[in-house]
Amino acid sequence: MHVSLSTLRQALQLVDGLAEIDDPADFGERVLPGLAGLIGCDLVSYNEIGAGPTPGQAYSCGYPAEVI
């Protein structure tokens, strides 16, 4: 499998941007647009089940935001 240099740079920029996230609740909304561009898709979602201080708590977000 060949990965172009521009795709590798894009992936590294995405990962580097994750270091700027102060609040874990912002993770999905920050990573999904970059991930969608990197893998070339129309829709991507992030889901957590059983995360957070309350057992059984669920969280989801999608990109584009109006999809969910």
Side-chain angles (χ1 to χ4, degrees):
M1 179 178 169
H2 173 74
V3 177
S4 69
L5 186 56
S6 64
T7 300
L8 182 58
R9 283 186 181 133
Q10 187 179 1
L12 290 174
Q13 287 175 338
L14 177 63
V15 171
D16 187 49
L18 297 179
E20 299 173 8
I21 298 175
D22 294 327
D23 184 357
D26 294 338
F27 176 79
E29 294 169 0
R30 295 280 304 268
V31 76
L32 292 182
L35 185 59
L38 184 63
I39 62 175
C41 64
D42 296 326
L43 166 67
V44 65
S45 68
Y46 175 76
N47 306 285
E48 290 183 19
I49 300 173
T54 306
Q57 181 179 359
Y59 168 78
S60 75
C61 65
Y63 178 81
E66 61 272 4
V67 173
I68 298 210

